[in-house]
């Protein structure tokens, strides 16, 4: 009995990090395949446009952040965090033209197996590095607010550098399975075309990859982030330190952008797992996966825009230089210094017996 949809059985793949398509030996429904292929071609113009914009904005914007935070500004803990975020986004957006070409050639991959593996691995290296850097930033904010004196004495750019290095190592470990599963092979319907796809030998492997990505790339880090920032807000309100500070707003905007951009991708990853059991989901995936994946990719070019526009007195500072506008966004959080000063004052008063 033939499957009623070709989507979940096709060994062909596309430019998405882990797109619909298993590599199982099932029968094919040729009519369903042709319908889906035609629909996919019509929809692919959307990711091509979005990828192109993400490439231009991401390379220019993140390149500018790397130049300013890495070479023009005094090295602080915050500049270390933002510099590493920019490096992760820059590395990913720099390789986006490969995905654009892949779509333009109707999913023919001319770049070889090694680049196929590298391209997808970079996508998920960006995912893990970004979300865990955001997690570290939230922990850094938490420590600075609850233990300000310790933070003042031990919170150094050197320590931040080693923590960031640890994040990169963790991110590489988490994304490394893509080096194994990603592969190239001739297209089932057109042997002259080479597809770059995720070669899962069983549904269990696909389930394991999707679930682990959701847990380690979304659930765990975002629970930590929510707990840290929730505690910070309560602490600042209790101490009446609710003055508006732009650096705090900058990182909040970055976190919200990451959540909005990546959550739909994870949702559709789970819908994909159900597609083999429910053929009616095939059409949903054909439409939804390109859109949600494009949204996830857009996140890599958003951060520099948020840094600039969320910076203190952006319009006023932009009159002098873009460097000044970015500098305000990367400044140390004023709430941290307020808590530190208040704690020091309390310690001094206690030592004087007041």
């Amino acid at each position: 009995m033939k499957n009623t949809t070709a989507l979940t059985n096709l060994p062909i793949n596309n430019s998405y990090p882990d797109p619909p398509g298993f590599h199982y030996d099932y029968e094919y429904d040729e009519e369903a395949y042709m319908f889906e292929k035609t629909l996919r071609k019509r929809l692919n113009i959307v990711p091509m446009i979005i990828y192109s914009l993400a490439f231009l904005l991401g390379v220019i914007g993140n390149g500018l952040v790397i130049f300013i935070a890495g070479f023009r500004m005094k090295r602080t803990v915050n500049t270390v965090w933002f510099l590493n975020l920019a490096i992760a986004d820059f590395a990913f957006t720099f390789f986006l033209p490969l995905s654009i070409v892949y779509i333009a050639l109707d999913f023919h991959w001319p770049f070889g197996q090694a680049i196929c593996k590298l391209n997808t691995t970079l996508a998920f290296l960006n995912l893990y590095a970004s979300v865990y850097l955001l997690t570290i930033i939230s922990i850094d904010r938490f420590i600075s607010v609850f233990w300000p004196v310790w933070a003042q004495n031990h919170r150094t750019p050197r320590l931040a550098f080693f923590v960031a290095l640890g994040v990169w190592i963790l991110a590489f470990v988490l994304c490394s399975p893509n080096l194994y599963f990603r592969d190239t092979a001739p297209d089932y319907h057109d042997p002259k075309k080479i597809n770059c796809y995720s070669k899962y030998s069983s549904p269990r492997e696909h389930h394991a990859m999707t679930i682990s990505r959701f847990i380690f790339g979304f659930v765990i880090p975002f629970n930590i982030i929510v707990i840290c920032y929730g505690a910070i807000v309560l602490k600042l309100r209790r101490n009446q330190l609710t003055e508006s500070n732009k650096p705090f707003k900058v990182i909040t905007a970055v976190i919200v952008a990451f959540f909005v951009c990546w959550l739909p991708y994870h949702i559709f990853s789970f819908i994909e797992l159900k597609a083999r059991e429910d053929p009616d989901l095939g059409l949903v995936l054909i439409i939804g996966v390109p859109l949600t994946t494009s949204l996830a990719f857009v996140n890599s070019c958003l951060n520099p825009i948020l840094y600039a526009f969320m910076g203190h007195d952006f319009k006023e500072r932009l009159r002098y230089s873009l460097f000044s506008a970015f500098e305000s966004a990367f400044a140390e959080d004023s709430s941290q210094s307020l808590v530190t000063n208040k704690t020091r004052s309390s310690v001094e008063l206690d030592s004087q017996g007041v």
Side-chain angles (χ1 to χ4, degrees), residues 39-105:
L39 179 60
R40 189 182 289 113
K41 278 187 175 181
R42 293 176 180 176
L43 292 174
N44 279 338
I45 188 65
V46 176
M48 285 181 65
I49 293 173
I50 295 177
Y51 288 13
S52 299
L53 290 175
F55 167 70
L56 292 174
L57 296 176
V59 169
I60 295 173
N62 288 298
L64 188 60
V65 172
I66 292 172
F67 174 72
I68 292 175
F71 301 100
R72 294 289 301 276
M73 290 184 65
K74 178 183 177 182
R75 189 60 51 86
T76 65
V77 172
N78 274 358
T79 58
V80 171
W81 302 145
F82 289 118
L83 174 62
N84 279 273
L85 274 173
I87 292 173
D89 290 334
F90 180 87
F92 171 65
T93 54
F94 185 79
F95 283 89
L96 272 180
L98 298 179
S99 298
I100 298 171
V101 171
Y102 189 37
I103 299 176
L105 295 177

Side-chain angles (χ1 to χ4, degrees), residues 72-352:
R72 294 289 301 276
M73 290 184 65
K74 178 183 177 182
R75 189 60 51 86
T76 65
V77 172
N78 274 358
T79 58
V80 171
W81 302 145
F82 289 118
L83 174 62
N84 279 273
L85 274 173
I87 292 173
D89 290 334
F90 180 87
F92 171 65
T93 54
F94 185 79
F95 283 89
L96 272 180
L98 298 179
S99 298
I100 298 171
V101 171
Y102 189 37
I103 299 176
L105 295 177
D106 192 23
F107 303 114
H108 168 61
W109 184 262
F111 306 109
Q113 184 187 60
I115 301 300
C116 170
K117 292 177 177 290
L118 177 64
N119 192 44
T120 302
T121 301
L122 275 176
F124 288 111
L125 181 67
N126 167 259
L127 162 66
Y128 290 119
S130 295
V131 72
Y132 280 104
L133 282 168
L134 294 175
T135 304
I136 291 297
I137 291 173
S138 67
I139 295 173
D140 175 48
R141 294 284 195 271
F142 177 83
I143 293 174
S144 296
V145 169
F146 280 82
W147 296 283
V149 176
W150 184 94
Q152 187 72 17
N153 295 328
H154 298 88
R155 185 175 174 270
T156 64
R158 179 181 175 83
L159 177 59
F161 170 81
F162 285 109
V163 172
L165 179 61
V167 168
W168 281 105
I169 295 173
L170 174 63
F172 179 77
V173 170
L174 291 174
C175 75
S176 60
N178 292 283
L179 293 172
Y180 174 77
F181 287 114
R182 206 65 173 177
D183 203 355
T184 56
D187 186 271
Y188 178 82
H189 288 268
D190 185 1
K192 294 181 180 180
K193 289 170 56 177
I194 301 298
N195 299 140
C196 175
Y197 69 101
S198 294
K199 186 178 181 180
Y200 299 122
S201 60
S202 67
R204 181 177 298 179
E205 290 181 348
H206 189 198
H207 283 222
M209 283 288 289
T210 301
I211 294 172
S212 63
R213 185 181 302 138
F214 179 64
I215 292 175
F216 291 104
F218 200 84
V219 175
I220 292 176
F222 266 96
N223 273 306
I224 296 174
I225 290 171
V226 169
I227 292 172
C228 287
Y229 275 96
I232 289 171
V233 170
L234 292 176
K235 175 76 170 181
L236 295 181
R237 285 183 178 179
R238 186 163 55 247
N239 291 339
Q240 297 181 339
L241 298 176
T242 56
E243 294 185 10
S244 174
N245 58 89
K246 292 292 182 177
F248 187 84
K249 290 184 177 181
V250 169
I251 194 57
T252 301
V254 170
I255 291 170
V256 170
F258 189 96
F259 181 87
V260 171
C261 289
W262 278 101
L263 180 60
Y265 169 80
H266 288 291
I267 291 174
F268 270 81
S269 294
F270 281 100
I271 293 176
E272 182 186 344
L273 295 180
K274 300 293 292 182
R276 290 184 65 249
E277 302 172 5
D278 186 358
D280 293 334
L281 292 175
L283 187 60
V284 174
L285 289 174
I286 290 177
I287 298 173
V289 168
L291 297 178
T292 55
T293 307
S294 297
L295 181 62
F297 285 9
V298 163
N299 181 249
S300 296
C301 70
L302 281 181
N303 290 345
I305 299 173
L306 295 175
Y307 299 155
F309 283 94
M310 294 297 292
H312 181 65
D313 296 332
F314 169 73
K315 294 182 180 179
E316 183 66 26
R317 287 177 175 268
L318 191 58
R319 294 178 183 177
Y320 298 100
S321 70
L322 188 60
F323 166 75
S324 181
F326 275 110
E327 184 180 33
S328 69
F330 302 151
E332 291 294 319
D333 197 336
S334 61
S335 65
Q336 297 171 4
S337 60
L338 285 170
V339 174
T340 302
N341 292 337
K342 185 171 182 178
T343 303
R344 281 182 169 175
S345 299
S346 299
V347 172
E348 291 173 356
L349 290 174
D350 289 341
S351 65
Q352 295 171 5

